[in-house]
Amino acid sequence: MDQKTHESVQLNPEATETDETIACARCGIPADGAPPTWTCSFENGRRRYFCDDCARANIRSIEGRLDSAWW
């Protein structure tokens, strides 16, 4: 099978996607700079970030790959 299953992505830590402050998509708490321990989800063509507390509270749903609308 020569079908491509994943595309490689080059990450540039210097680049920023937007000038907006990153906030938790669940509780709204803002992040101080780049949140290295937060969970990032790609849903409906958008990146959504979740703080440590929200991610821990919903870890089973996240691991089950449910969209955040379900939890």
Side-chain angles (χ1 to χ4, degrees):
M1 301 180 112
D2 292 332
Q3 188 176 20
K4 201 181 223 186
T5 56
H6 297 285
E7 293 182 23
S8 63
V9 176
Q10 300 254 335
L11 297 178
N12 182 357
E14 302 289 324
T16 58
E17 291 182 21
T18 64
D19 291 335
E20 296 179 26
T21 301
I22 295 175
C24 178
R26 187 109 176 121
C27 69
I29 190 170
D32 294 329
T37 60
W38 283 27
T39 301
C40 178
S41 175
F42 193 76
E43 300 173 14
N44 300 322
R46 295 185 56 215
R47 286 182 193 247
R48 301 189 71 187
Y49 293 93
F50 300 97
C51 68
D52 296 331
D53 293 333
C54 290
R56 281 189 193 109
N58 297 288
I59 192 68
R60 293 187 76 176
S61 298
I62 293 169
E63 288 179 349
R65 296 181 184 249
L66 296 174
D67 284 345
S68 58
W70 287 94
W71 30 287

